[in-house]
Amino acid sequence: MLIFRWGILGLGKIAHKFAEDLKTISGAQLQAVGSRSKERADEFAQTHGAPFSFGTYAGLIDSGEVDAVYIATPHTSHLELTLACLEAGIPVLCEKPMGMNLSQVQTMVQAAEKHQTYLMEALWTRFLPSTKKLLALLDKGEIGKVEGLRADFGFKVGPLTGQRITDPALGGGSLLDIGIYPVFLAQLLLGKPMEIQAMARMGETGVDIDCSINLRYKGGQLAQLYSTLLARTKTEATIHGQDGLVHWHSRWHEPSNFSILRRFEDQPENHFFEYDNNGYAYEARAVMEDVRAGKLQNELWSWVDSLLLHETLTKIRAEIGLSYPMEVK
């Protein structure tokens, strides 16, 4: 079997988890890592067995050593690094949010098309066994037509979370960092919203630390979504259908489990899943399969999906008055 050589740009917490998961994939190899610090790159490479480490992002991109790159830097550098990789003909898996706004995502997709190079936003939840099973059951009509949903994601900012999450220069705030997950789920189940209402509480740095979103859809369905940096919430999702509901247990966006409670039944039908990794192996496998097949995008999470997601996020930001320094002209 030919080895698929991965590179990683940005070596934070999520990059460590991704590197650990690559070890569980047959034929995958962490080949190179890049950081703004050579010392940090060397340490990461030694920890995860990567043959090459670079003290600049350009060093990895120009190395010719990788078959795809996972970009795990802060949101604000996603556009620049993605474009550099695509121009070099390197397939990209870019951590969410792929761009700071719809315009950036449009630019990235146009570049992927121009250079005929693979691009996917790393919405890992879309590729988890729990998500795939849930969608299959919904498609079979297990709870009837979906009539609405509620979903949340919250954690309390503290010493362990660092300052990035509230730094506007790094794209901080609850919406783009964690609120993106409930918005993603609403899109996955209900499509494009016809009406958006949102309000937020802004923190001292000017980013949202508490965000409440209501979406209305063409069929009349409502989605109630919530993200916060003020408290650790249950991070659950409830999907209401004509004939029952799904309770997606905490923390629903991660490797998790769910239960179905049907009308006129007292006991739920529980669905449990076993995971042998952190959950990032599923999206990594999808990229490997796509690239080897000569595809430019993924069928489960396509360019159109990312464009619609960021159209909605950009409209929510307009509703709550959230802007970032790098966007001001």
Side-chain angles (χ1 to χ4, degrees):
M1 176 184 291
L2 290 176
I3 298 299
F4 192 98
R5 304 168 303 164
W6 278 95
I8 299 178
L9 294 177
L11 307 179
K13 181 180 178 181
I14 194 171
H16 280 282
K17 292 183 177 181
F18 188 87
E20 290 171 357
D21 279 11
L22 289 181
K23 299 170 186 176
T24 70
I25 304 175
S26 177
Q29 161 72 35
L30 178 57
Q31 183 77 355
V33 298
S35 172
R36 291 175 298 180
S37 164
K38 185 62 165 68
E39 181 181 0
R40 189 176 190 185
D42 290 343
E43 181 181 355
F44 192 102
Q46 183 176 8
T47 298
H48 296 288
F52 298 93
S53 58
F54 299 92
T56 65
Y57 298 138
L60 187 153
I61 294 170
D62 296 337
S63 69
E65 290 292 339
V66 298
D67 299 310
V69 163
Y70 171 55
I71 296 177
T73 58
H75 319 330
T76 47
S77 59
H78 286 180
L79 175 64
E80 178 185 359
L81 293 177
T82 295
L83 294 182
C85 289
L86 294 175
E87 290 169 4
I90 302 172
V92 173
L93 173 64
C94 183
E95 189 50 55
K96 58 80 198 162
M98 192 155 73
M100 292 295 296
N101 51 46
L102 175 60
S103 178
Q104 287 194 359
V105 175
Q106 289 172 331
T107 299
M108 296 157 88
V109 168
Q110 290 167 0
E113 193 166 26
K114 174 184 176 181
H115 298 289
Q116 290 293 286
T117 301
Y118 187 89
L119 171 65
M120 188 176 89
E121 185 174 21
L123 254 299
W124 65 314
T125 309
R126 179 64 184 90
F127 299 89
L128 297 177
S130 51
T131 303
K132 290 184 175 181
K133 180 65 174 181
L134 173 63
L135 291 177
L137 292 172
L138 293 179
D139 286 342
K140 286 175 59 180
E142 291 295 321
I143 63 169
K145 178 184 175 183
V146 174
E147 295 291 0
L149 68 96
R150 296 195 308 271
D152 73 278
F153 189 164
F155 65 83
K156 186 172 178 62
V157 173
L160 297 180
T161 58
Q163 297 180 349
R164 179 198 65 80
I165 192 67
T166 57
D167 188 345
L170 296 177
S174 79
L175 177 64
L176 292 188
D177 202 80
I178 57 178
I180 187 173
Y181 285 107
V183 176
F184 149 78
L185 180 59
Q187 175 177 314
L188 189 63
L189 299 180
L190 297 172
K192 181 177 180 176
M194 297 295 103
E195 182 181 355
I196 297 172
Q197 296 180 341
M199 62 178 64
R201 175 179 175 182
M202 298 301 187
E204 295 179 357
T205 62
V207 301
D208 65 298
I209 56 175
D210 212 22
C211 187
S212 180
I213 304 162
N214 289 321
L215 305 178
R216 184 189 300 274
Y217 294 84
K218 187 175 181 180
Q221 302 97 326
L222 300 177
Q224 298 173 311
L225 315 175
Y226 179 63
S227 61
T228 185
L229 303 178
L230 297 176
R232 180 181 175 90
T233 67
K234 287 187 175 182
T235 308
E236 298 176 322
T238 303
I239 303 161
H240 303 275
Q242 290 178 329
D243 301 316
L245 64 83
V246 174
H247 178 201
W248 207 341
H249 302 295
S250 183
R251 294 163 38 107
W252 69 267
H253 70 290
E254 297 178 342
S256 57
N257 308 290
F258 63 82
S259 301
I260 297 178
L261 184 61
R262 297 179 178 85
R263 280 201 307 169
F264 311 120
E265 294 183 3
D266 295 327
Q267 297 299 320
E269 176 183 290
N270 298 312
H271 292 263
F272 298 101
F273 304 85
E274 293 185 4
Y275 296 88
D276 60 358
N277 53 64
N278 295 308
Y280 299 98
Y282 303 101
E283 64 178 1
R285 284 196 193 98
V287 172
M288 292 168 60
E289 292 171 1
D290 287 342
V291 172
R292 284 170 169 164
K295 297 179 180 180
L296 298 182
Q297 57 184 308
N298 184 268
E299 294 177 358
L300 297 185
W301 192 252
S302 68
W303 297 344
V304 169
D305 292 319
S306 287
L307 288 167
L308 176 54
L309 176 64
H310 287 273
E311 178 183 348
T312 302
L313 289 170
T314 300
K315 289 179 178 178
I316 292 170
R317 286 182 49 197
E319 279 281 308
I320 64 176
L322 175 61
S323 62
Y324 293 97
M326 72 291 301
E327 297 174 313
V328 178
K329 296 183 180 180

